Amino acid sequence: MAPEPERELATFAAELETGAIPDRVRDRAGLTIADTLGAIVAGSTDDAVGALARRWTDGVSGGATVLGADGGETVPPLAALCNGAAGTVLELDEGHRFAAGHPAIHVLPALLADAEIGYGDSDAFVRSFVAGYEVAVRTARALGALRSGYHPHGVWGAVGGAAAVARSRGLDPGTTRSAMAIAANYAQHTRFEAATEGATVRNAYAGMSNLAALVAVDQAEAGFGGLENGVARHLEHAAENEVDAPALAADLGDRWELEHGYFKIHAACRYTHPALDAVAALPDGVDPTAVESVRVETYPAAARLTEPRPRNQLQAKFSIPFAVATALLRGDSGPPAFADEAITPEAIALAERVTVAVDDEIAARAPEQRGARVTVETADDRLSREVVAPRGGEHDPFDEARLESKFRELVAPVIGEDRAATLWESARAPEPPRVLCTLARR
């Protein structure tokens, strides 16, 4: 009799050895860890994230490091929450198009906090991260499209985080399975509107998943039992259709989901990226003051992001009209382009001249290819560019030099240029978690 998929996935995670992971996948793990650490350190400068970090580290000892600007120590679940929130606030953390979310930021903060206090070594750290990432993506793929209104952050990520922590602790398959089921029980009823309306509770969704992952593993190790087929049964309420349970264990050891993720350089929701890439492909010298109208044609999920008057940086990151306007005005789409200070009357006026619509041909290619066409009308000219798929993924990957440049731009202002360079090299290896945590705090 074939193993039940959830049991098979838990066994895979619990028994994954470093030697079973291909060299190219281990290298990709180091690159993903480095990129994610960069997003965390840079995002730690957010006012709300910093205030929470100070609240939870002031006079507290616990052995787990809160990374970045307000680096201190606290207990692992709170460190994991702070670091998870920091890693999402800039919208620069890696993602996976078939998971329709961001696996690494749901796995790394919990694993890092747990492995740091456990003095984990490099090999255990890498295999645990890979195990957690694979579980997170397969859980997301089994769920498929989420019910209308759900935001993917905070729904399936804790299952991957729990698998990573369980592997780091060397727990057996049965205990790992219980931890995954318990973590699924803690899935959040997230709302996509939190992002589109600028409610910054959304920035804590991934952090809460990391906290839940650690709690779930502690409970499983203490003897709490998980619901039979608990991953599917707890999460099915969030799925638009029936959970595809076989997808949990599909191609384990043959297809490595870690290889199919994407990296980001635009500091905004991934749905905005095809349009931003099309804007970047326009001829140099487009005068934004001469723009009469902009039309963006894209796929349905992206075409929902239409608010032209964002009230804060989170809402700005989930607005195609604002993203296009700020990119045209500034010639850039990094964090400053979406900061509160960038939401100027000039930017709003241009955003209000941007319309967004679904294009049937572009829609038919999603999710394999998520593209956009941008057409700019001026009094004297009409310029149009189409992008089949956004940069940073399998269709148009960034080379490592570009990702290292992104990392240094983000991290150097927080911890200094020399330490940023050292952290990049140490994370790429990667070095043991305690070394990384020491380097990644001011």
Side-chain angles (χ1 to χ4, degrees):
M1 183 177 177
E4 179 265 326
E6 199 165 302
R7 187 184 305 276
E8 188 176 355
L9 181 60
T11 301
F12 169 83
E15 297 181 350
L16 182 64
E17 296 294 343
T18 307
I21 305 171
D23 289 347
R24 68 182 190 279
V25 178
R26 290 201 299 272
D27 183 70
R28 177 74 176 204
L31 190 62
T32 304
I33 289 168
D35 185 79
T36 306
L37 282 173
I40 293 171
V41 172
S44 71
T45 60
D46 176 78
D47 289 343
V49 170
L52 191 62
R54 291 188 294 274
R55 177 183 293 267
W56 284 346
T57 59
D58 186 22
V60 177
S61 62
T65 301
V66 175
L67 308 181
D70 291 286
E73 287 189 3
T74 188
V75 294
L78 299 186
L81 193 158
C82 285
N83 292 333
T88 59
V89 72
L90 293 181
E91 273 294 317
L92 282 167
D93 51 311
E94 70 85 52
H96 193 289
R97 76 179 185 279
F98 291 115
H102 303 257
I105 198 59
H106 286 80
V107 171
L108 184 61
L111 173 61
L112 198 62
D114 200 70
E116 179 187 11
I117 65 168
Y119 292 89
D121 62 30
S122 296
D123 278 350
F125 182 48
V126 170
R127 66 174 172 259
S128 300
F129 178 76
V130 173
Y133 193 103
E134 297 298 311
V135 168
V137 174
R138 282 176 167 79
T139 302
R141 295 189 72 152
L143 286 182
L146 299 181
R147 286 185 186 273
S148 178
Y150 269 92
H151 191 294
H153 280 261
V155 177
W156 42 259
V159 179
V165 172
R167 182 67 192 95
S168 181
R169 295 186 189 180
L171 303 186
D172 62 67
T175 308
T176 299
R177 186 183 184 213
S178 289
M180 290 163 53
I182 293 169
N185 180 68
Y186 295 139
Q188 301 161 63
H189 289 291
T190 61
R191 299 297 301 176
F192 204 92
E193 293 95 332
T196 56
E197 295 176 18
T200 54
V201 64
R202 176 264 176 193
N203 292 337
Y205 289 168
M208 284 297 296
S209 276
N210 281 277
L211 182 152
L214 287 165
V215 171
V217 177
D218 280 349
Q219 285 184 287
E221 199 169 9
F224 286 77
L227 189 66
E228 190 73 14
N229 295 323
V231 171
R233 291 169 68 190
H234 283 303
L235 297 181
E236 66 182 357
H237 304 293
E240 180 68 27
N241 303 301
E242 185 176 350
V243 175
D244 180 11
L248 291 169
D251 301 320
L252 284 170
D254 293 322
R255 176 183 171 90
W256 297 90
E257 296 290 357
L258 189 53
E259 294 187 282
H260 303 285
Y262 60 77
F263 296 106
K264 301 172 71 174
I265 59 169
H266 304 306
C269 172
R270 184 65 168 178
Y271 295 167
T272 70
H273 287 209
L276 287 170
D277 285 341
V279 170
L282 291 169
D284 292 338
V286 175
D287 180 1
T289 64
V291 172
E292 295 184 344
S293 68
V294 181
R295 180 173 174 82
V296 177
E297 297 163 283
T298 187
Y299 55 97
R304 295 181 298 167
L305 308 184
T306 58
E307 173 56 59
R309 302 177 65 85
R311 63 186 178 92
N312 61 16
Q313 69 169 344
L314 174 61
Q315 195 173 23
K317 292 171 181 291
F318 282 78
S319 163
I320 286 180
F322 183 84
V324 168
T326 195
L328 285 170
L329 286 167
R330 303 172 67 95
D332 180 60
S333 55
F338 295 91
D340 290 342
E341 295 77 14
I343 306 173
T344 63
E346 182 184 18
I348 296 298
L350 183 52
E352 290 181 330
R353 298 198 293 275
V354 179
T355 59
V356 185
V358 172
D359 178 89
D360 290 341
E361 291 185 5
I362 293 174
R365 296 196 294 265
E368 180 61 34
Q369 296 175 334
R370 291 186 168 116
R373 182 184 306 110
V374 173
T375 303
V376 178
E377 300 271 2
T378 69
D380 302 317
D381 206 354
R382 182 178 185 273
L383 304 168
S384 186
R385 293 292 184 272
E386 181 172 346
V387 170
V388 172
R391 290 180 292 167
E394 294 172 88
H395 298 290
D396 190 6
F398 297 126
D399 60 27
E400 183 164 337
R402 181 65 186 89
L403 294 176
E404 182 178 357
S405 173
K406 166 195 167 181
F407 180 93
R408 294 193 184 207
E409 290 169 4
L410 291 174
V411 175
V414 184
I415 63 174
E417 291 185 5
D418 290 342
R419 287 184 67 189
T422 302
L423 179 59
W424 171 264
E425 295 299 331
S426 298
R428 277 294 283 121
E431 298 281 352
R434 184 163 286 270
V435 173
L436 299 181
C437 290
T438 299
L439 287 169
R441 59 181 288 187
R442 187 153 65 189

